[in-house]
Amino acid sequence: MSIPSQDRPWVHNPSVDEAFALRGACGQTHLPTGRTCVLPRGHRASCAFLPRDRAEVVLEERLRTRA
């Protein structure tokens, strides 16, 4: 499924990791450290930043358990 770019404004933010955002994660990147938030997009609490390699694992586990 492809989402038109005008319907996904979060991917136009340079501090959002598009690969994470397209999989439903917040994707906000802490620019000084490169850590990425894997909480669901639109979460209300503060971001939970993880190193990118760990963030990939956590996001994949979440997506696998949803399927």
Side-chain angles (χ1 to χ4, degrees), residues 2-61:
S2 180
I3 303 170
S5 61
Q6 68 270 19
D7 294 336
R8 50 190 176 118
W10 62 88
V11 299
H12 299 294
N13 184 337
S15 65
V16 172
D17 187 308
E18 182 175 352
F20 283 84
L22 291 174
R23 290 183 284 169
C26 170
Q28 184 74 31
T29 302
H30 183 252
L31 297 177
T33 63
R35 292 173 174 244
T36 306
C37 178
V38 294
L39 294 176
R41 184 174 46 248
H43 63 88
R44 293 185 181 262
S46 297
C47 286
F49 293 108
L50 298 174
R52 181 159 177 101
D53 56 343
R54 181 68 185 132
E56 284 284 353
V57 170
V58 169
L59 183 57
E60 287 301 318
E61 287 174 357

